Amino acid sequence: MSAAYIALGSNLGDREKNLKTALEKMEEKGLEIVKVSSFLETEPYGVKGQPMFLNAACEIKTELSPEKLLDILFSVEQEMGRKRCRRWGERNIDLDLLFYDNLVLNTEYLVLPHPDLQNRDFILTPLMEIAPLFVHPVLKKTIIEIKNDIEKK
């Protein structure tokens, strides 16, 4: 079994229900959810002038490959009616694969670890709650250290 960390976000509709529904659908598709962070309300990232987000992170266990896991996350988003209208725009659900064990991968389809998580407090705060000592396989820093770095900026 491999451990993976996933970021969840929603800023349309019933945001809390959207996050809970996504977690339920992930379990229905065979992902074992080990830990879920608190839900955190955050400012939009990248595109201003849109509703506030509700964000969370979860740790899962899976036997799926990273690519198959990403397919599952996309299928959950599709089942929940996610529409990709503009980059960083409004969405009822967003599921991002952050880490898959300590794998470093860079393909056209998938980049691991998530390439910009070290700059996103809305990912780091919930991730720190569930995996503070996880070491980023590229930066060689714990989530706590990365979070401290972003707070110094």
Side-chain angles (χ1 to χ4, degrees):
M1 293 286 266
S2 292
Y5 293 93
I6 297 163
L8 300 92
S10 175
N11 76 335
L12 293 177
D14 185 334
R15 300 171 305 161
E16 183 173 344
K17 183 179 178 188
N18 290 341
L19 297 185
K20 289 178 178 178
T21 299
L23 290 164
E24 289 169 8
K25 287 186 174 295
M26 288 164 54
E27 281 189 315
E28 288 169 7
K29 293 179 180 294
L31 304 180
E32 178 187 339
I33 297 176
V34 178
K35 293 180 190 171
V36 179
S37 72
S38 303
F39 294 174
L40 172 72
E41 190 169 57
T42 63
E43 296 280 339
Y45 179 87
V47 175
K48 303 295 180 201
Q50 58 179 315
M52 296 285 284
F53 272 84
L54 200 60
N55 292 99
C58 70
E59 176 186 355
I60 65 153
K61 297 281 186 205
T62 184
E63 293 183 1
L64 297 172
S65 69
E67 294 83 5
K68 293 287 186 195
L69 175 55
L70 187 62
D71 287 343
I72 294 285
L73 299 180
F74 282 152
S75 74
V76 169
E77 288 180 342
Q78 284 183 323
E79 286 176 23
M80 292 182 64
R82 163 100 190 247
K83 306 256 187 299
R84 294 179 185 272
C85 299
R86 62 178 172 159
R87 185 173 189 201
W88 295 329
E90 302 82 357
R91 62 206 86 148
N92 66 320
I93 192 65
D94 185 32
L95 302 174
D96 287 331
L97 180 54
L98 305 174
F99 297 107
Y100 185 97
D101 290 331
N102 292 312
L103 184 63
V104 177
L105 183 68
N106 191 346
T107 69
E108 183 180 332
Y109 186 62
L110 178 60
V111 177
L112 289 171
H114 187 285
D116 197 37
L117 72 87
Q118 67 274 8
N119 299 311
R120 298 179 180 192
D121 192 54
F122 65 91
I123 290 176
L124 292 170
T125 298
L127 193 56
M128 191 172 76
E129 186 180 322
I130 62 170
L133 300 177
F134 182 84
V135 177
H136 190 295
V138 173
L139 301 177
K140 306 297 186 206
K141 293 181 177 183
T142 65
I143 299 303
I144 290 174
E145 291 170 324
I146 298 168
K147 174 86 165 105
N148 288 339
D149 288 348
I150 200 173
E151 288 176 354
K152 291 176 189 171
K153 292 181 180 177

